[in-house]
Amino acid sequence: MRETAQQPRLTRAEMRKQSRKGSGGGGGEGPPNGRGAGRNGKPGKKRLIDYPRFGKSGFKRWMPSWKQVLSLFLIFFGGGVAAVGTAYALVQVPDAKSTLRLQNNIYYWADGTEMARKGDTNKQWVELSQISRPAQDAVIAAENETFRTDSGIDPKGMARAVYNMATGGEVQGGSTITQQYVKNVYLSQEQTLSRKAKEFFITLKIADDKDTILTGYLNTSWYGRGATGIQAAAQAYYGVDAAKLDICQGAMLAGLLKGAALYDPTLNQANHDRMQERWEYVLGRMAATKAITPEERTKCGPKFPEPVEVKAPASMNGEISYLVDTATQFVMAKDKTITEAKLARGGYQIYTTFQKDKVDALKAAVDQVKSESLKPDQREADKFVQVGAASVVPGDGAIVAIYGGDGIENGHYSNNADSKVPVGSTFKPFVLATAMQTGVLTKTGANGQPTQINQDSLYLADNLSPIYSKDGKPLMGDDGKPYKQRNDSPGKPGYVTLKKAMQFSYNVPFVQLGQDVGGKNVENMVTAMGLLPSSLEPSSTITFPLGTSHPSSIRMASAYSVFAARGQQNDPYSVAKLVYNGAEQPNFTKSQPKKVLEQAVADNITDVLENVAKNGTGTKTNALGRPVAGKTGTTDAGTSAWWVGYTPQLSTAVGMWREEAGNPKLLSLNGTAGHESVHGGDFPTDIFTRYMKAVLKDTPVQDFPNPEPWGQEVDSSGAPISPSASTSASVSAEQPSAPVEPSTSKSPEGPASPPHPSTSSTCLFNYCGPSKSPGRPSKSPSESPSGSPGQGGGGAGGGNLAGLTGQ
């Protein structure tokens, strides 16, 4: 045997032990670092932080020991406690009374001159002893039942608010009265995580002083009507001091804290209904928490404590209040952190897009037409007549004028420019634009896509014609029988071009076209053009193309401006710049234009609507003496009448309806001004013409561009055309096969529009219009048949009028 084989072998334990001893002469390698061998065989020094860990291999070498974990925890925990303690000590409790400093909000015209000052001077501080106990108890019952016993902090609410701000979600208020009070004090500052932390520390510091908290909360809360604090609110709503508020009144004011804009019962009927329900809820909670006895609850009874009438300042008379309201609503919609309560504290300079001369001209046109035609003291149908109107600059979106009503000094508080009445046949151009841009589903091209049609496509216009689905099947009405669409006037014009159908506002062709193009496609088109989805009726209804929806005047003027701007859409805006405490606020630049229609499509729609103005239902606009395009609209039972029209420089919508103040039900216009029925071609077109004539008198005449050829002729779907119908179709390509029954409207046709010389591009109203194409030759008088045209109606199934439309 070899010599080495006779020597005893070392066990692994012995080998590890020997390795630890180490030697300078070799025999085994020591550990790489730490407590093992160092240079020249001397032991290595022990490290202060043993990481990576000595004597471990693999993942264990990188796994911290329990001592290391505990040490790290104590370091970070101690540091966190120290940081929180330092922050707690540094944050000072602000003086709540300082939040009531008086500041104005200043509104400016588009030229920079001052329009109005809205100074909320109705701010008064009162001590808790000067506030009636029922009013105190009502607020506690409504907002935080456990206020007098809780810690003042809702951990879940705080965590939710911090998370929403960190992730860019909607800012939410505190859940307890204490947190809401602290939030009130900080309303003038930014909504940030650091500010939220300050609120938390302030809440901790004052949580035990319940009287101070309740006093501050009641004096810094927003109640609407320009009232900050319960003393101001008691005077604004009931004309009494806070000390004299009874249980019923206190419960109503407590209900306002949920949101005065939604619960002020004097603003509209919907608000009144919401407040009635809220008021009863607050009284119920007061009784449940034994703040009042059942007998005291019964004394309030079912009779709601109606507030006194609003005392409007003289500076808000005329159209000013509506202008201020429009700008204010825009500011809050554009920046969600700016609430009504925050605006009420003042300090804002709001530079609007409104132009004083145009606002004055629009009001003058409305006043003139109403004074010349209406006699409310002699005719019942002349009472409660309302007008809403707006003007928007194409290619820019600036709202330069609105007409909101007779003025708050006359008891009219709602803004008619933000009306919610059906727009009737002014909706039809959107259906035609969709058919030209998107195509009809009844015919596909070589690429398998819907065919884009043109204005020469033939559609049946006979009164009471059946309507077919895109598959050629007759649609069924609610009675289970084939649905037949009615025109505003009887007669059988036969097959007419869509241009003619628009000229005479026949309903049948556009209801059928709506089926052929698809209601959802029309809905997508109008929302792309700027109408709000909340203002639209279901696109699946048969009569959707007839304007059962209820966009505002502002939105209709804006949507038609897309045609004038040759397919470019700009969101309407009423504030060009916002300054707060000397600093210009971001996000108030106008939106970038978006292409929603092909230029050729927009130009062809303009050509169709120019024919409506010249030869169709809008002939009163001929008195304007320049090219104008537009469309009339009238709804079922004559509940509203519209004209929406435009020149290359300005788009204007005018709506008219009857509605008694405080009663949202629409009344019929039939009989108004002695007319058997009122159409869009009557008063709305008259108002439009007078207004546009005044504001455009010193501006150069501009022609609309010549439309390029677009699409192809696609005849309507449905049953096969009979020989007689075919003959009728060939005749109607030149003119209707039967004269249209004269309208009951008393509007005589105006003179033909004179030829317009070609001019270069002109800048107007902060917008440079497109360079003018050579003027088209004037239409032949033979294109307009004898007899006054019929007016489009709203069709069956009137629209649901619930909900505001906004800008």
Side-chain angles (χ1 to χ4, degrees):
M1 297 178 63
R2 291 182 300 168
E3 182 179 355
T4 55
Q6 297 174 358
Q7 299 175 356
R9 295 177 178 272
L10 298 178
T11 66
R12 291 186 178 182
E14 290 173 327
M15 293 174 66
R16 285 197 296 270
K17 185 175 181 180
Q18 182 176 336
S19 175
R20 293 192 189 101
K21 294 180 180 180
S23 64
E29 295 183 0
N33 49 36
R35 292 167 292 190
R39 293 183 178 180
N40 301 321
K42 297 180 180 180
K45 294 182 178 179
K46 184 179 180 179
R47 294 179 300 170
L48 179 63
I49 301 176
D50 184 22
Y51 193 83
R53 295 174 64 191
F54 169 78
K56 302 293 182 181
S57 61
F59 80 94
K60 291 184 178 180
R61 188 165 180 254
W62 302 96
M63 181 68 68
S65 67
W66 68 269
K67 292 181 180 179
Q68 291 172 329
V69 172
L70 180 60
S71 298
L72 286 173
F73 171 77
L74 291 175
I75 290 172
F76 282 106
F77 178 77
V81 170
V84 170
T86 302
Y88 180 84
L90 292 177
V91 171
Q92 300 296 316
V93 178
D95 178 12
K97 291 183 181 181
S98 66
T99 64
L100 295 184
R101 63 187 184 279
L102 304 181
Q103 295 188 77
N104 286 318
N105 289 327
I106 306 176
Y107 294 78
Y108 297 91
W109 294 104
D111 62 3
T113 58
E114 186 174 315
M115 176 200 300
R117 286 177 180 258
K118 194 173 183 182
D120 292 297
T121 57
N122 196 8
K123 305 174 182 177
Q124 304 172 51
W125 184 279
V126 291
E127 298 303 326
L128 197 60
S129 60
Q130 297 172 282
I131 304 171
S132 72
R133 184 62 186 229
Q136 298 177 39
D137 291 339
V139 169
I140 293 173
E143 297 294 303
N144 182 191
E145 291 180 0
T146 61
F147 165 71
R148 297 196 183 275
T149 58
D150 64 28
S151 63
I153 296 176
D154 175 12
K156 291 183 179 179
M158 288 287 290
R160 183 173 59 250
V162 171
Y163 174 78
N164 285 342
M165 281 193 291
T167 57
E170 184 177 354
V171 177
Q172 296 185 0
S175 300
T176 68
I177 283 179
T178 305
Q179 290 174 265
Q180 291 182 57
Y181 161 57
V182 175
K183 182 175 182 291
N184 286 348
V185 174
Y186 272 86
L187 266 175
S188 60
Q189 302 185 16
E190 294 181 348
Q191 299 281 357
T192 62
L193 290 173
S194 62
R195 197 222 67 177
K196 204 68 184 175
K198 289 179 181 179
E199 287 184 10
F200 177 74
F201 292 132
I202 293 171
T203 302
L204 288 177
K205 285 189 172 186
I206 68 173
D208 293 333
D209 193 349
K210 297 296 185 180
D211 285 351
T212 298
I213 294 169
L214 187 58
T215 302
Y217 178 67
L218 291 173
N219 279 286
T220 58
S221 293
W222 168 250
Y223 289 86
R225 286 200 180 186
T228 298
I230 194 165
Q231 170 65 14
Q235 287 288 345
Y237 285 93
Y238 293 110
V240 299
D241 289 331
K244 296 183 178 180
L245 289 169
D246 61 26
I247 295 172
C248 307
Q249 295 167 337
M252 200 290 289
L253 294 182
L256 291 170
L257 296 175
K258 194 171 179 68
L262 289 174
Y263 287 90
D264 182 347
T266 59
L267 293 180
N268 52 60
Q269 186 61 43
N271 272 24
H272 194 283
D273 294 341
R274 277 191 291 266
M275 175 49 79
Q276 178 97 27
E277 183 178 349
R278 179 71 176 165
W279 175 71
E280 291 174 353
Y281 166 79
V282 173
L283 289 173
R285 295 314 306 162
M286 292 178 73
T289 56
K290 295 182 170 50
I292 59 175
T293 65
E295 292 75 22
E296 288 174 320
R297 166 65 181 92
T298 304
K299 286 182 180 179
C300 281
K303 185 173 176 57
F304 181 74
E306 299 290 348
V308 298
E309 290 186 4
V310 179
K311 296 179 181 178
S315 60
M316 291 290 113
N317 287 350
E319 296 306 300
I320 298 298
S321 66
Y322 311 123
L323 299 171
V324 167
D325 173 69
T326 301
T328 300
Q329 295 299 323
F330 179 82
V331 167
M332 292 192 294
K334 194 75 170 175
D335 187 342
K336 298 296 185 182
T337 66
I338 302 177
T339 63
E340 187 179 10
K342 191 172 182 180
L343 278 169
R345 296 179 183 277
Y348 290 91
Q349 293 172 280
I350 302 170
Y351 294 83
T352 76
T353 59
F354 302 124
Q355 299 181 15
K356 188 176 187 305
D357 62 327
K358 293 172 182 59
V359 172
D360 291 343
L362 186 54
K363 176 174 170 53
V366 175
D367 290 346
Q368 289 168 8
V369 170
K370 290 176 71 174
S371 64
E372 292 173 8
S373 307
L374 303 181
K375 298 179 180 179
D377 56 335
Q378 299 178 19
R379 286 187 292 257
E380 184 67 23
D382 288 3
K383 296 179 179 179
F384 316 127
V385 173
Q386 306 291 340
V387 174
S391 266
V392 173
V393 178
D396 183 278
I399 307 169
V400 294
I402 64 169
Y403 178 84
D406 294 332
I408 56 176
E409 70 275 18
N410 295 314
H412 186 89
Y413 299 103
S414 59
N415 185 355
N416 286 353
D418 196 20
S419 57
K420 50 176 183 177
V421 296
V423 293
S425 294
T426 57
F427 202 83
K428 291 174 181 175
F430 302 138
V431 183
L432 179 56
T434 307
M436 296 180 73
Q437 176 87 13
T438 306
V440 290
L441 304 173
T442 54
K443 182 178 181 180
T444 56
N447 58 0
Q449 297 299 312
T451 301
Q452 296 170 319
I453 70 172
N454 59 30
Q455 57 180 280
D456 295 323
S457 298
L458 296 174
Y459 270 67
L460 184 64
D462 290 351
N463 186 44
L464 294 176
S465 291
I467 302 299
Y468 299 89
S469 70
K470 62 183 177 63
D471 300 322
K473 299 178 181 178
L475 295 178
M476 296 296 157
D478 294 336
D479 56 1
K481 299 179 180 179
Y483 176 82
K484 295 184 178 181
Q485 181 57 51
R486 183 186 300 275
N487 289 326
D488 187 65
S489 300
K492 297 184 179 297
Y495 282 82
V496 300
T497 64
L498 290 172
K499 183 174 184 177
K500 290 287 184 182
M502 190 77 73
Q503 176 182 345
F504 300 120
S505 200
Y506 296 133
N507 291 335
V508 172
F510 288 99
V511 172
Q512 183 60 64
L513 184 61
Q515 292 296 317
D516 293 352
V517 76
K520 193 63 179 179
N521 288 331
V522 177
E523 179 183 345
N524 293 338
M525 175 61 71
V526 297
T527 53
M529 293 179 69
L531 300 191
L532 298 176
S534 60
S535 70
L536 301 178
E537 290 298 303
S539 58
S540 58
T541 57
I542 299 176
T543 55
F544 180 68
L546 300 183
T548 55
S549 299
H550 42 84
S552 67
S553 304
I554 293 172
R555 288 286 170 175
M556 286 300 289
S558 176
Y560 268 55
S561 75
V562 174
F563 301 138
R566 308 188 72 187
Q568 298 295 317
Q569 188 270 340
N570 292 76
D571 293 335
Y573 67 102
S574 57
V575 175
K577 184 172 71 171
L578 181 71
V579 176
Y580 178 60
N581 286 341
E584 184 171 349
Q585 303 300 293
N587 304 323
F588 280 88
T589 55
K590 66 183 179 183
S591 66
Q592 293 299 311
K594 300 180 287 290
K595 181 179 178 181
V596 298
L597 286 177
E598 293 295 334
Q599 194 174 92
V601 171
D603 291 345
N604 273 271
I605 295 295
T606 293
D607 179 67
V608 170
L609 298 184
E610 199 176 3
N611 182 56
V612 172
K614 282 185 180 180
N615 308 309
T617 57
T619 54
K620 279 193 174 184
T621 61
N622 288 331
L624 192 56
R626 63 173 66 220
V628 60
K631 182 70 185 76
T632 52
T634 307
T635 55
D636 251 0
T639 52
S640 64
W642 288 77
W643 168 265
V644 186
Y646 56 94
T647 66
Q649 303 101 325
L650 198 60
S651 176
T652 301
V654 181
M656 181 177 176
W657 63 96
R658 288 181 64 227
E659 186 176 26
E660 184 177 2
N663 185 354
K665 181 181 179 181
L666 290 179
L667 306 173
S668 176
L669 285 167
N670 293 343
T672 299
H675 292 207
E676 183 178 343
S677 60
V678 175
H679 299 294
D682 295 327
F683 306 115
T685 307
D686 193 3
I687 291 170
F688 169 91
T689 303
R690 296 188 191 212
Y691 162 69
M692 296 287 276
K693 196 170 186 178
V695 299
L696 297 176
K697 63 180 179 181
D698 296 325
T699 63
V701 172
Q702 280 188 264
D703 277 329
F704 293 111
N706 285 319
E708 296 180 359
W710 178 268
Q712 58 181 285
E713 181 180 331
V714 179
D715 295 344
S716 63
S717 62
I721 301 175
S722 65
S724 60
S726 300
T727 305
S728 175
S730 63
V731 175
S732 64
E734 298 299 327
Q735 65 179 29
S737 61
V740 182
E741 184 171 297
S743 169
T744 55
S745 170
K746 304 294 191 299
S747 56
E749 293 187 4
S753 180
H756 308 291
S758 176
T759 60
S760 60
S761 177
T762 303
C763 291
L764 183 67
F765 314 146
N766 302 318
Y767 166 66
C768 293
S771 298
K772 208 179 64 161
S773 301
R776 296 189 299 278
S778 59
K779 305 292 189 298
S780 169
S782 63
E783 288 187 10
S784 178
S786 60
S788 301
Q791 181 72 12
N800 178 8
L801 302 181
L804 296 175
T805 62
Q807 291 180 34

